[in-house]
Amino acid sequence: MSKTFSSILEQSVDKLRSFIPGNGKKKARAYQRREVPRDQHNVSRSVISEPAKKVLSRLNKSGYEAYLVGGGVRDILLGQRPKDFDIATNATPEEVHDLFRNSRLIGRRFRIVHVVFGREIIEVTTFRGNANQADKDSTSDDRKTSEHGQLLRDNVYGNQEEDALRRDFTINALYYCIRDFTVIDFANGIDDLRNRQLRLIGDPETRYREDPVRMLRAIRFAAKLDFDIEPETEAPIRELAPLLTHIPPARLFEEVLKLFSAGHGEATYDLLTRYDLLAPLFPETVKAIEAGEPDELIRQALRNTDARIAQGKSVTPYFLFAAMLWPALQKEWNHRQDNGDPVQPALHGAIGKVIGRQVQATSIPKRFSGPMKEIWELQMRLPRRQGKRAFVTMSHQRFRAAYDFLLVREACGEIKPGLGDWWTEFQRVDERGQERMLSELTNDAPKKRRRRKPAQRPAP
Ligand code: ATP
Ligand code: MG
């Protein structure tokens, strides 16, 4: 963190005192609003995207307050490139929608506006009001909480300070004002940024109960930013992890993609495992691993994914899910074969069962589950190359992904090396070379290695 922040503690401009939302019973912690002037931070207009600047200035010119907030401010302060830009304003969603022709109102649980500029989407959120109201108002139409304390809907508007305190982490509650170039900090976010700490605003347990996805967000930011999760924020996670089963599968699917496509997939996987958060996302995978299936393929796939992202390449959700569910598939496939099913029907039965169970946790849209099945099925076809088979396999639209998957299986030691190199060569050589390779094939195509024995577990 740059030195410019060292004097920020003393920069108390406004003596507004605020109390943490949802913290009525436990100790109330006072926060002080602080403003960091332009010469003491590194947020400059030049690192903000043109569309984000356009939205900010149009809102300002129309008489509304508008600030850059969230990851956009946090990542710039950390010297990183923001993934996207979020804006907070006192204009209502309808007013924002009226101002921008290229916008759409989205969300029911949480009404926001997307202003669309080609591929860039600017998310504009109206200041949310005091979260304490949630208890009193739990059945109102604008704010609704479940019997577990989960915030089902939050469309009660408020002022900027209230908006700051209903955000998740202190480092996500920093606002940048494009008019006077100040950074406004309501919850000591700058201190936490400097100390590389993730701290929930308010009482952690209440905040996780309001929205269990915040536990996943803690892991995502800890892995992405290489921050520590501050002890009080960390403490309730293991116990509350099962609350994630109350989250709609479609939302969890989106969160899984965010978790594993930020370029720190392996670190994220380790943290999810450490905090018992993998089980609500991939229950069958966790059961399979606990029963002795290795998770090396998952790790290897995530390492490859991280390397791809570092090179600016994209990651396909179906490849990710094919890897994350592989131990579950192996367990089920082996189980069916042990029960006497022939290999092929055992595979098909296992695929159906694993996907059927998974979609109860996270949805998997059909456009991804189809290709995922194909990757798995092709694993059986890749060793069989005689005659025309190699050509038929290679012309399959999922060949490339299946071949990549095979390389991952080899790299992690699940199968012995050789087949991957063969396919690499087969794609490289010309037709005559391919004929030669096929004629040289012996009948001993690489076989799957014998399954490792389940880990020895102490008798209960
Ligand atoms: P990134 O976009 O890099 O993933 P981000 O912090 O911008 O990170 P978004 O999901 O874009 O995350 O959300 C924008 C901001 O909205 C967050 O910084 C945070 O202030 C607030 N926010 C998002 N999700 C939640 C939540 N579940 N609970 C409370 N506040 C949230
Ligand atoms: Mg964001």
Side-chain angles (χ1 to χ4, degrees):
M1 181 94 302
S2 85
K3 304 204 285 267
T4 51
F5 292 121
S6 57
S7 58
I8 283 158
L9 266 174
E10 286 77 51
Q11 295 291 325
S12 158
V13 175
D14 194 325
K15 293 276 188 267
L16 257 180
R17 303 223 115 201
S18 15
F19 290 90
I20 311 173
N23 207 9
K25 287 154 254 147
K26 304 201 176 164
K27 62 177 192 279
R29 179 171 173 171
Y31 282 133
Q32 247 176 16
R33 179 182 188 276
R34 292 181 183 122
E35 271 182 32
V36 187
R38 74 187 296 185
D39 57 344
Q40 289 180 29
H41 63 71
N42 60 340
V43 183
S44 90
R45 288 169 59 101
S46 62
V47 285
I48 303 169
S49 77
E50 286 307 317
K53 280 189 282 206
K54 259 191 208 156
V55 175
L56 285 168
S57 59
R58 169 103 52 102
L59 281 164
N60 282 163
K61 278 187 195 133
S62 310
Y64 299 110
E65 287 177 53
Y67 303 88
L68 200 66
V69 69
V73 184
R74 177 197 69 216
D75 291 351
I76 294 174
L77 285 168
L78 288 169
Q80 297 185 10
R81 217 181 127 88
K83 177 167 77 60
D84 50 38
F85 291 96
D86 306 293
I87 288 173
T89 179
N90 63 350
T92 64
E94 291 72 21
E95 287 168 336
V96 177
H97 183 48
D98 284 348
L99 267 185
F100 298 94
R101 243 183 337 113
N102 50 332
S103 71
R104 50 181 188 239
L105 281 161
I106 63 158
R108 209 171 93 85
R109 198 180 67 86
F110 199 84
R111 248 173 116 66
I112 58 172
V113 181
H114 276 175
V115 190
V116 184
F117 296 82
R119 289 174 60 165
E120 185 169 349
I121 293 178
I122 306 296
E123 201 162 283
V124 185
T125 312
T126 304
F127 294 153
R128 274 351 188 232
N130 189 343
N132 279 329
Q133 281 297 114
D135 303 332
K136 298 172 204 151
D137 243 9
S138 62
T139 53
S140 99
D141 245 19
D142 291 330
R143 176 174 272 138
K144 206 162 171 237
T145 51
S146 77
E147 51 177 319
H148 308 288
Q150 195 182 326
L151 207 47
L152 299 175
R153 195 175 308 151
D154 182 7
N155 291 313
V156 172
Y157 305 128
N159 62 30
Q160 187 188 10
E161 186 193 355
E162 289 168 335
D163 183 73
L165 300 181
R166 65 91 198 159
R167 288 179 181 273
D168 49 7
F169 301 98
T170 62
I171 58 166
N172 286 348
L174 297 164
Y175 298 74
Y176 176 70
C177 175
I178 200 168
R179 280 195 287 210
D180 61 10
F181 314 107
T182 52
V183 170
I184 307 164
D185 179 1
F186 287 93
N188 296 344
I190 295 275
D191 289 350
D192 286 332
L193 213 53
R194 191 176 43 199
N195 297 324
R196 306 187 76 80
Q197 296 244 3
L198 272 167
R199 185 191 308 274
L200 267 178
I201 299 173
D203 169 50
E205 181 169 340
T206 311
R207 303 302 316 278
Y208 290 137
R209 285 189 185 278
E210 273 174 10
D211 183 5
V213 167
R214 289 173 185 151
M215 294 185 271
L216 299 178
R217 290 175 59 85
I219 302 308
R220 175 151 70 88
F221 296 129
K224 170 180 157 167
L225 307 172
D226 193 19
F227 273 33
D228 289 327
I229 307 178
E230 168 281 322
E232 283 182 35
T233 298
E234 175 182 50
I237 296 183
R238 277 189 195 86
E239 197 188 319
L240 300 182
L243 289 178
L244 281 165
T245 54
H246 300 301
I247 302 296
R251 185 167 177 219
L252 284 190
F253 172 76
E254 293 299 326
E255 287 304 320
V256 166
L257 293 191
K258 286 188 201 162
L259 279 163
F260 292 115
S261 44
H264 306 272
E266 199 185 7
T268 301
Y269 175 78
D270 283 334
L271 286 173
L272 288 174
T273 307
R274 177 158 13 126
Y275 288 100
D276 296 341
L277 290 165
L278 196 65
L281 301 177
F282 293 100
E284 296 302 308
T285 296
V286 169
K287 275 188 222 155
I289 293 168
E290 282 172 0
E293 287 295 333
D295 69 350
E296 259 316 301
L297 178 123
I298 294 180
R299 294 179 170 284
Q300 185 65 43
L302 292 174
R303 278 196 287 272
N304 287 14
T305 303
D306 291 345
R308 281 182 66 87
I309 293 167
Q311 292 162 21
K313 294 184 188 162
S314 64
V315 180
T316 52
Y318 56 79
F319 193 88
L320 181 72
F321 273 75
M324 293 305 297
L325 293 173
W326 186 247
L329 183 75
Q330 292 292 296
K331 176 168 171 275
E332 187 59 32
W333 189 7
N334 287 322
H335 171 70
R336 284 169 184 250
Q337 289 182 79
D338 291 346
N339 282 352
D341 283 5
V343 60
Q344 192 86 33
L347 176 62
H348 286 128
I351 289 176
K353 181 151 180 195
V354 166
I355 294 180
R357 291 257 168 103
Q358 180 60 27
V359 295
Q360 293 170 20
T362 72
S363 63
I364 311 178
K366 287 255 171 344
R367 65 181 188 283
F368 300 133
S369 59
M372 184 176 84
K373 281 185 209 166
E374 289 171 332
I375 289 180
W376 287 341
E377 284 162 356
L378 281 165
Q379 299 312 302
M380 278 201 57
R381 281 169 54 181
L382 285 165
R384 304 185 187 145
R385 294 151 289 169
Q386 279 93 348
K388 294 259 173 290
R389 284 179 180 160
F391 295 106
V392 175
T393 298
M394 205 165 74
S395 65
H396 193 289
Q397 65 162 340
R398 218 57 65 195
F399 168 75
R400 183 71 210 190
Y403 158 75
D404 284 342
F405 200 81
L406 174 75
L407 295 183
V408 176
R409 291 173 65 210
E410 284 195 358
C412 73
E414 185 197 299
I415 47 174
K416 18 177 228 226
L419 186 57
D421 283 347
W422 190 92
W423 278 107
T424 308
E425 183 70 3
F426 194 70
Q427 292 171 81
R428 195 187 59 79
V429 297
D430 61 13
E431 226 170 286
R432 279 183 51 196
Q434 289 177 332
E435 293 300 341
R436 181 183 45 77
M437 286 179 74
L438 289 174
S439 69
E440 284 168 3
L441 272 183
T442 53
N443 280 331
D444 59 350
K447 289 207 182 73
K448 196 168 170 256
R449 252 197 214 167
R450 284 196 54 197
R451 203 152 58 102
R452 285 186 218 172
K453 279 208 174 131
Q456 289 288 317
R457 292 208 270 159

